[in-house]
Amino acid sequence: MRLKLLAAAVTAAAATLTFTTSAQASHSWGSYHWARTSNPFTLKLGDNLSSNWKSYLSTASTDWSASSVLDTTVVTGQSNNNCRATSGRVEVCNRTYGNNGWLGLASISVSGGTHISSGTVKVNDTYFNTSTYNTPSWKTLVMCQEVGHTFGLGHQDEGQTNANLGTCMDYTNNPDGPLSNLHPNTHDYDELESIYAHLDSTSTVDQSAAVPTVGNSKASWGKRVAHSAHGDTYVRDFGKGNAVITFVIWAG
Ligand SMILES: [Zn+2]
Ligand SMILES: [Zn+2]
């Protein structure tokens, strides 16, 4: 038992080292994770969605719960229309957020440098109401990807014109194609096992604490730390180890 724990600690340390030395090779950007004292842990996904979106959250929840380290459960949302972050869980919302360029937005608040303390997912009906995006495939992909970000996962690939990798954590021009990008793939589950290989002495899951938040406009997201034609990642530093990381997938 003791040896096993030690082995896990060494693996976690090695994984951390890998993230810092080859950020490109890993898609768990920044190694952000929910603090928890045992695996698998259960994360609540607050449903603030209108009826036409509920099945997509349900699919994403089932898909990600196949992971050996975490489970998700869809619960009644607590943020209504404004999608305000609730500590210890994830809030998921849809709304016509306007022609602001983004199709989907995932934000995670981080405390103590790496521990996720809340997550929000927003999908923009201004674009999902158009013929281009009003398809089950686009809705499945974006919901899956944004929920995936709230666990600390980044993108497997930021290119949009290359072939689909068969994972929702991949940008694309066409979610279907020969290999569909509608669901997580084995690499995503492996990545989650790596991120959550270690255990923490405290938990941020289901805990109440003040969490920093950002708004719906780019101006509030802080510094852009990753960029590609189809999506960007921003970090807003609130000081003392507190930050909000925002993953945006652009429409068009
Ligand atoms: Zn930890
Ligand atoms: Zn993304």
Side-chain angles (χ1 to χ4, degrees), residues 83-96:
C83 216
R84 193 184 176 82
T86 309
S87 72
R89 54 188 269 173
V90 174
E91 297 290 347
V92 184
C93 312
N94 72 294
R95 194 171 170 178
T96 47

Side-chain angles (χ1 to χ4, degrees), residues 84-187:
R84 193 184 176 82
T86 309
S87 72
R89 54 188 269 173
V90 174
E91 297 290 347
V92 184
C93 312
N94 72 294
R95 194 171 170 178
T96 47
Y97 289 100
N99 289 299
N100 50 28
W102 54 262
L103 191 56
L105 204 63
S107 292
I108 49 174
S109 68
V110 168
S111 58
T114 56
H115 286 158
I116 302 171
S117 50
S118 73
T120 60
V121 167
K122 299 172 188 172
V123 290
N124 191 351
D125 281 335
T126 303
Y127 299 104
F128 281 107
N129 286 340
T130 66
S131 58
T132 304
Y133 294 109
N134 193 7
T135 69
S137 294
W138 271 110
K139 289 177 169 176
T140 303
L141 160 74
V142 174
M143 185 60 79
C144 177
Q145 182 172 131
E146 303 308 345
V147 170
H149 285 317
T150 68
F151 310 137
L153 286 177
H155 305 110
Q156 280 197 32
D157 171 50
E158 310 241 298
Q160 65 187 91
T161 50
N162 50 351
N164 285 355
L165 297 177
T167 166
C168 65
M169 301 312 290
D170 177 25
Y171 291 136
T172 184
N173 282 329
N174 175 9
D176 296 310
L179 204 54
S180 83
N181 276 357
L182 305 182
H183 305 283
N185 68 1
T186 306
H187 184 72

